[in-house]
Each structure stands twice: as structure tokens, then as C-alpha cells.
Amino acid sequence: MPSATSLDVTAIRKDFPILAQQVHGEPLIYLDNAATSQKPKCVIEALTRFYQMDNANIHRGVHQLSERSTQSYEAARGKVQRFLNAANSREIIFVRGATEGINLVAQTYGRTHVSAGDEIVISAMEHHSNIVPWQMLCEEKGAVLRVIPINDRGELEFDQFEKLLNHRTRLVAVSHVSNALGTINPVREIVNTAHSWNVPVLIDGAQAVPHMKVDVRNLDCDFYVFSSHKVFGPTGIGVLYGREQLLEDMPPYQGGGDMISSVTFEKTTYNDLPYKFEAGTPNIAGVIGLGAAIDYLDQIGMDAVAAHEHDLLEYGTRALESISGLRLIGTAREKAGVLSFVIDGVHPHDAGTILDREGVAVRAGHHCAQPVMDRFGVSATTRASLAFYNTREDIDALVAGIQKVKEVFTV
Ligand code: PMP
């Protein structure tokens, strides 16, 4: 049955050459988008064009190619700024990915603002990337990590969050959307509540940006991170948005070229934003590829993406709920992109392997969110995760594959 929404997915799929292949003699059904998403031709072409025509280092050359590559690099920063509705392109820092963005904030803002006995608040549904950097900081400073619990649906317990905040809280760091559960967190309310204590908020948007319109000014958040490779751009590049005043006051993250304005052996002065945080030759091609991905998404429209995926998620949820012996992990009322499940008597890795033989690519494991697995009393789940190029037929193939799994294990 075709999707009930208006997105022309048949045309869209033609933009993604990788999807038109067979694996194990079956058409590829790619449902591992939360791990990484596929790239449209325009992104692949932007990378090729850069290396064929414009490749040169940025910001320091006087020649044509360097001017062109600098111009494309900085144009991409402007695209990200508009995509996130940030007030200024100085607030857009290019990093390796969401992980590096969080580490940057922990090592700069965190190390200057957190002391012994202070507290950092995260949630029980965070990716390891939004746990470990804070744990490392707390260990170094003698600070305390406080964790907002989640209920059986996989939703944050907001009243518990409110109780965790106090005059020792220095930062709140939460995911916008959980990669393991799909829960969409009420980040606007989280920011409001934290700000009433004058506590800044970092939002891990790795799983939100591919699925919905994100407006950092509307969210009023202080930091927002995401990875290009989950948003149809290249790997090895990502974005840290930071409120200008906070970034101004933060010390640099790494030292090196491009982040300085003058160096002597006695004293170095640092460059202005955003360059203060971009030491060394960056991933120029990656940034340009990310810019191409944003252009592509702008054309499709994030509202259309969200509506299509919402339809798929509802369709998939209904289908999986009707399979006996299958338990969905993560049934939040507000959800995006993720169908995580366990089947009685079947190890999630075995389910993943059998699905692969049917051409269905899913992920099996703890999804870098071991505390979430502990919370639900499982060691792993099988996770199907969606993108706008998926169809109801993809969900039907997943369901047929799960029936195969059950036959193999005669569940
Ligand atoms: N946070 C979340 C919610 C994620 O899903 C991921 C990637 N799985 C990350 C952070 C880390 O992203 P990256 O590995 O691209 O830095």
C-alpha cells in the first residue's frame, strides 16, 4: 500500500543510487538509517566536483582554487546556519561529528565551569557519546553526574528532572531524539526549566536533524550538535551550534593553525569565532558535501520528511505490534524514526543476520546505549530505523523477514 503522504518517494529513491542494488539476491531494504544514512547523487557529485575542480586549502591561499574552496566552505556554514535558524554563522562550528561536538563542550565550557561537588544532568536514554564525555569531566573535577529516569514507554520523567535541578547544576545535556528508543524529548520545556535555574542546555540532535525541522532559536538551547553522516551528508563532519556569548567566553578546544590570530613564543592570541574552535586543516570536502545535503533537504522540505516518516512509523508500529512474541522497546507517545524490538527466544543478532539474508539491513546490539538496555532488562535489541526514502513496502519486507526469523526459531 502506498504511503498516505505526498512525498514522491519513487522519484526520491532514484536520487540514491545505492538503494537500487540487491544483497544476497534480494532487493536491498535499507533500515539502518540511525546508524548512518545513504547519500543522494548531489552529495556524491559535490564531493567529486570539489576534488576534480577546486581542491585547495582554505583561508590562507591567494590563488583561484583556494578562493573557490574557501568560498564553498564558508557558503556551507551559511547553509547550516539557515538550516538550524541560528542567529549568526559565527555560532556554527565544524567538528568531526556529534561526538566531537559534545567532547568540545565538555572540555572547554565544562572544564572552566565545573568544580568539585557541581552537578551535570543527563538522561537515562543517552547515547554513550552523551554520557562518557560528562563522566570523564566529572571524574577529573570531582563533580557528580545526575540521571533523569525514564518510564516504561521510554519517556523522560519530567517531574524527576525538575527535582534534579539545584544550585549546583552546571549543565543539562539531553538527546533530542533517542537513537535506541526513538523517543522525542520535550527539549523546549527542558530548556525553559533549566534556564529558570540559569543552567545552560546542550541538545544532542544526532537523531533529530534527519527527521524534523530544528530551530535552535525557537528551542532557545545553548548548544546543539549533529553529525553530517546521519543527515545524508559525508562521514567525518558534524556541527556544534553554540550561543555566541558562550562560545566567546570559552577557551579553545585544540591548538594549531587557523585558530590563532598571532603567535609568539611568549603569547598566542586566538582567532575570532568560529575559527577559534577549528584548529588545523578541516574536512573541507565533508563540509561542502554537508552543504549539498542541506540543499537537498531544503528542496524536499523537512515538514514533508517528518509527515512521511510519521506515516511509516505508525504503519510499522501497527504491523510489529500484531506479531506474537515480539515486544517493541520504546513506545513513547512522541516518537521518530525508530522501531526497536526483541522477539521471544531469539537473540537480536540472530534476527539481524536472518533479516540480512532477506535483504533487510537492520542493526542488532545495544546501539551505544547500554543503560537503556539495562533499563528494559535486555542485552540488545533489533532496530529498524527510517529515512524519508523508505516506503511501506520496506516495512512489509521487514515484517516478512521477521516471520522468517520466527519460522527458523519456530517461535
Ligand atoms: N548521539 C546519538 C543520539 C546518536 O545516535 C549518535 C550516533 N549513533 C551519536 C550521538 C554519535 O554520533 P557520531 O558517532 O556521528 O559522532
Side-chain angles (χ1 to χ4, degrees):
M1 212 201 299
S3 153
T5 59
S6 60
L7 216 60
D8 186 354
V9 181
T10 310
I12 282 172
R13 289 178 72 85
K14 296 203 175 95
D15 296 333
F16 291 82
I18 203 168
L19 296 177
Q21 65 179 294
Q22 298 205 327
V23 291
H24 305 300
E26 301 288 340
L28 169 66
I29 309 291
Y30 189 77
L31 291 170
D32 194 18
N33 295 288
T36 199
S37 59
Q38 300 302 347
K39 319 304 170 200
K41 269 189 284 195
C42 59
V43 168
I44 301 166
E45 283 162 10
L47 297 175
T48 308
R49 194 177 333 110
F50 171 73
Y51 282 123
Q52 277 185 351
M53 298 300 296
D54 298 338
N55 178 48
N57 213 329
I58 53 167
H59 295 153
R60 354 184 165 160
V62 289
H63 57 82
Q64 245 301 291
L65 297 194
S66 178
E67 264 173 38
R68 287 213 295 263
S69 71
T70 303
Q71 201 272 333
S72 307
Y73 182 87
E74 291 303 333
R77 197 189 305 277
K79 290 174 191 183
V80 174
Q81 177 210 336
R82 287 187 292 280
F83 189 60
L84 294 181
N85 194 30
N88 198 302
S89 63
R90 288 192 297 277
E91 299 179 317
I92 304 299
I93 315 288
F94 288 121
V95 288
R96 271 193 304 129
T99 303
E100 191 177 41
I102 297 167
N103 277 278
L104 189 159
V105 176
Q107 292 299 313
T108 58
Y109 184 87
R111 284 175 99 188
T112 43
H113 288 84
V114 175
S115 317
D118 287 345
E119 298 181 1
I120 292 170
V121 174
I122 61 170
S123 88
M125 71 174 86
E126 297 311 312
H127 187 279
H128 296 163
S129 297
N130 201 27
I131 302 174
V132 185
W134 307 116
Q135 259 171 347
M136 290 163 66
L137 177 68
C138 286
E139 215 161 279
E140 179 187 323
K141 297 289 185 178
V144 183
L145 196 62
R146 308 294 299 271
V147 182
I148 314 164
I150 55 179
N151 65 21
D152 290 341
R153 290 170 172 267
E155 297 164 327
L156 281 188
E157 294 187 21
F158 204 88
D159 53 332
Q160 297 299 317
F161 165 59
E162 288 174 314
K163 286 187 192 146
L164 282 178
L165 293 167
N166 63 64
H167 67 284
R168 298 311 305 257
T169 314
R170 291 291 167 268
L171 189 93
V172 172
V174 289
S175 50
H176 195 164
V177 172
S178 154
N179 69 311
L181 302 167
T183 310
I184 304 175
N185 284 320
V187 282
R188 184 78 182 82
E189 289 73 21
I190 290 172
V191 169
N192 273 346
T193 307
H195 282 180
S196 69
W197 286 89
N198 280 326
V199 172
V201 179
L202 175 143
I203 300 175
D204 171 0
Q207 298 293 346
V209 172
H211 303 297
M212 62 186 72
K213 196 176 259 172
V214 171
D215 180 331
V216 289
R217 270 190 283 179
N218 183 260
L219 294 177
D220 200 26
C221 58
D222 302 281
F223 301 104
Y224 196 99
V225 299
F226 73 92
S227 294
S228 153
H229 72 97
K230 294 191 202 280
V231 71
F232 317 100
T235 49
I237 190 70
V239 170
L240 164 67
Y241 157 82
R243 201 188 283 282
E244 185 167 359
Q245 198 49 54
L246 291 176
L247 293 176
E248 282 289 2
D249 294 343
M250 280 154 55
Y253 178 44
Q254 295 177 328
D258 240 22
M259 55 74 72
I260 52 90
S261 60
S262 80
V263 178
T264 66
F265 288 118
E266 287 69 42
K267 184 163 175 58
T268 290
T269 54
Y270 303 127
N271 204 341
D272 295 334
L273 290 176
Y275 312 110
K276 181 171 91 175
F277 292 106
E278 293 182 2
T281 300
N283 183 350
I284 305 165
V287 166
I288 292 167
L290 170 60
I294 288 174
D295 285 343
Y296 184 81
L297 285 173
D298 279 345
Q299 240 176 27
I300 292 180
M302 290 311 294
D303 288 339
V305 165
H308 175 69
E309 290 186 11
H310 183 72
D311 174 78
L312 284 184
L313 192 64
E314 289 207 326
Y315 182 76
T317 304
R318 279 196 302 276
L320 293 195
E321 274 173 351
S322 68
I323 298 175
S324 66
L326 184 147
R327 173 160 76 111
L328 276 171
I329 305 289
T331 49
R333 280 156 286 199
E334 297 292 328
K335 252 188 95 168
V338 169
L339 291 160
S340 219
F341 58 89
V342 289
I343 306 168
D344 287 345
V346 183
H347 194 281
H349 280 108
D350 293 332
T353 306
I354 295 167
L355 285 167
D356 175 55
R357 303 302 298 185
E358 300 299 310
V360 181
V362 294
R363 177 149 287 220
H366 54 58
H367 317 296
C368 296
Q370 281 181 349
V372 174
M373 301 297 114
D374 292 345
R375 169 65 178 78
F376 286 90
V378 296
S379 61
T381 71
T382 306
R383 180 188 69 188
S385 53
L386 306 170
F388 59 86
Y389 44 63
N390 288 123
T391 61
R392 287 188 174 196
E393 288 74 16
D394 291 348
I395 303 284
D396 295 342
L398 171 70
V399 170
I402 292 171
Q403 298 301 355
K404 268 265 167 50
V405 172
K406 290 183 62 176
E407 278 165 30
V408 170
F409 284 88
T410 56
V411 185

